[in-house]
Amino acid sequence: MLKKKKKQPQQIRLSVAHRGLSSQPKELTVEKMKLCRELDLSHNAFTSLHTLVGCERIECLVVDHNKLGSNVTFPHMPNLRRLWVNHNNIDNLVVFMDTVSKNFPNLIELNMMNNPAAPSYMNGGSVQEHQEYRHYVITRLPKLQHLDFVKIERKERKAALSSQSMG
């Protein structure tokens, strides 16, 4: 006797980008969020994302061009692997990384370019500030493989860990 295969739920990508939203729209129902693997909230006016309920399966969250600050509230997302928060108002790296490291334990990619807390040549940061920023983030997120679209090489990870032990 053959057993019927259990039908797997469809994995979906949801986008509510470019809508001027500051809170979760009604169309992002709990049922949809339970199936969602990728969520794009870019180009809106979000300051917090604590209302994202039922999002345990999300693997990629794009929140570029919003109004997120260092004290942003995220729900716990154990499966999140990619987070994009480019062009927001994140100005305190320590506070932001406390939240990120607690809520996204399996993060492998973080992009936070053009935030005050992410110094680079594009926003007036020095080479040393940029390196210190990268080292700090790398030490806070041990599984991270890419930061600001740049692969983290073994040599850089080793330098980050060694600078942490010296500091």
Side-chain angles (χ1 to χ4, degrees):
M1 179 181 220
L2 293 174
K3 287 186 179 182
K4 272 189 170 180
K5 279 189 176 180
K6 209 175 196 183
K7 189 175 182 181
Q8 294 294 323
Q10 181 182 6
Q11 301 170 2
I12 57 174
R13 179 182 193 282
L14 298 172
S15 176
V16 290
H18 297 278
R19 293 169 93 196
L21 301 169
S22 59
S23 62
Q24 184 174 336
K26 290 184 172 109
E27 68 216 55
L28 291 183
T29 62
V30 172
E31 292 77 26
K32 283 184 181 178
M33 294 301 286
K34 284 182 180 178
L35 298 175
C36 184
R37 295 289 180 156
E38 296 181 24
L39 180 59
D40 184 354
L41 302 171
S42 59
H43 295 273
N44 281 297
F46 287 99
T47 58
S48 178
L49 298 172
H50 71 280
T51 60
L52 293 179
V53 292
C55 55
E56 294 81 20
R57 290 188 174 188
I58 291 179
E59 295 175 2
C60 179
L61 178 61
V62 179
V63 211
D64 293 345
H65 295 275
N66 273 277
K67 296 180 179 181
L68 302 179
S70 303
N71 293 307
V72 62
T73 307
F74 290 104
H76 184 69
M77 297 179 175
N79 293 314
L80 192 73
R81 297 174 54 79
R82 291 176 174 79
L83 175 63
W84 291 18
V85 291
N86 301 300
H87 299 276
N88 276 282
N89 300 321
I90 300 161
D91 61 1
N92 186 319
L93 189 59
V94 174
V95 170
F96 183 70
M97 291 310 300
D98 284 347
T99 301
V100 168
S101 63
K102 182 180 84 176
N103 289 303
F104 313 131
N106 294 303
L107 205 61
I108 61 169
E109 180 182 337
L110 174 64
N111 298 303
M112 54 182 295
M113 295 169 57
N114 286 309
N115 279 285
S120 74
Y121 68 91
M122 294 189 317
N123 63 7
S126 69
V127 171
Q128 181 177 349
E129 288 171 325
H130 180 69
Q131 183 180 22
E132 289 170 356
Y133 151 74
R134 287 186 62 84
H135 284 185
Y136 182 76
V137 172
I138 291 166
T139 61
R140 294 298 307 272
L141 300 170
K143 295 180 182 179
L144 201 65
Q145 297 172 11
H146 291 87
L147 176 58
D148 296 333
F149 305 102
V150 176
K151 182 173 175 40
I152 298 167
E153 300 292 342
R154 184 176 296 177
K155 182 179 175 181
E156 183 180 21
R157 186 174 308 280
K158 187 176 178 179
L161 293 172
S162 115
S163 71
Q164 177 192 33
S165 65
M166 292 168 45

